[in-house]
Amino acid sequence: GSGEGQERFIGAGSGGAWLGGAGPAPTRRPPGNYRTQLWDKQSESFLPSTPGLGMHVEVKDPDGKVVLSRQYGSEGRFTFTSHTPGEHQICLHSNSTRMALFAGGKLRVHLDIQVGEHTNNYPEIAAKDKLTVEQIQKEQNYQRYREERFRMTSESTNQRVLWWSIAQTIILILTGIWQMRHLKSFFEAKKLV
């Protein structure tokens, strides 16, 4: 598509309305916006839906597997991840149990689905995340610098621990030799040996 929203007529069935032809590419998340309006017999026009009215949105991939099944309000936005390219089915149906509401009444559903390469608004995403290539490179360089400093600190600490343990071993051996000589001279002086 042209990347702009497409409004399509939805055929009503028993319990819902199915829309075919929303075929996103693999792993895309096409946003869908919808709005419902109720028919008012007195004014003979469609009015905005009441807050108590909810819509159930169900999306099936070309294999018939459900990729989204969720309850929403009378108007809202939904996204789904598609792993299979092809024609998807989107079903919108009311969760209202108030049969009097629909007795002879009509419900209009406006559906706007973004498909194609313009599904994601990349400048908006970049502005939202405030990430640029330069900022990413600066962050990577900073992380490299920190890693290098940490490695130098670790190597320095490792060397110090090694020399400390060698010094302790030498002191222990010298202390042992001195104790043996001292005890030997003590026993010889007392003529016990």
Side-chain angles (χ1 to χ4, degrees):
S2 63
E4 296 189 40
Q6 302 172 358
E7 287 200 17
R8 292 186 169 179
F9 174 74
I10 303 172
S14 64
W18 285 95
L19 169 74
T27 65
R28 287 275 174 99
R29 292 174 176 86
N33 296 309
Y34 70 90
R35 180 172 51 95
T36 59
Q37 293 179 312
L38 289 174
W39 178 257
D40 184 27
K41 290 181 184 179
Q42 293 159 346
S43 66
E44 293 192 3
S45 65
F46 285 100
L47 300 175
S49 181
T50 57
L53 180 68
M55 295 296 288
H56 182 83
V57 178
E58 184 174 274
V59 179
K60 291 184 180 180
D61 67 6
D63 300 329
K65 190 170 85 175
V66 176
V67 285
L68 174 71
S69 179
R70 189 167 169 202
Q71 201 71 30
Y72 292 95
S74 60
E75 65 180 78
R77 176 181 175 90
F78 63 90
T79 60
F80 62 92
T81 302
S82 173
H83 298 285
T84 308
E87 189 171 296
H88 287 63
Q89 292 181 332
I90 300 173
C91 177
L92 301 165
H93 60 88
S94 170
N95 68 344
S96 178
T97 57
R98 291 180 257 156
M99 294 310 237
L101 181 68
F102 291 108
K106 299 176 189 176
L107 179 66
R108 179 188 285 173
V109 178
H110 297 272
L111 182 63
D112 180 27
I113 298 178
Q114 298 277 327
V115 294
E117 69 231 20
H118 301 293
T119 300
N120 292 332
N121 187 353
Y122 294 107
E124 180 182 315
I125 293 170
K128 182 179 175 185
D129 294 340
K130 296 181 182 174
L131 293 177
T132 64
V133 174
E134 294 161 356
Q135 288 174 327
I136 292 170
Q137 287 176 340
K138 284 180 182 178
E139 179 66 24
Q140 286 177 337
N141 289 338
Y142 175 69
Q143 292 298 335
R144 283 189 197 111
Y145 170 75
R146 285 189 58 193
E147 188 272 332
E148 183 180 340
R149 289 287 308 262
F150 181 72
R151 185 172 28 86
M152 289 171 38
T153 302
S154 296
E155 288 174 2
S156 171
T157 303
N158 189 24
Q159 287 247 330
R160 289 179 184 168
V161 168
L162 175 68
W163 285 113
W164 177 250
S165 59
I166 290 171
Q168 280 184 327
T169 304
I170 290 172
I171 290 171
L172 187 62
I173 291 172
L174 289 176
T175 304
I177 292 171
W178 176 78
Q179 284 179 344
M180 285 188 342
R181 285 190 164 192
H182 180 69
L183 285 173
K184 185 178 178 185
S185 65
F186 174 77
F187 287 129
E188 285 175 351
K190 296 288 183 184
K191 297 194 188 217
L192 295 172
V193 178

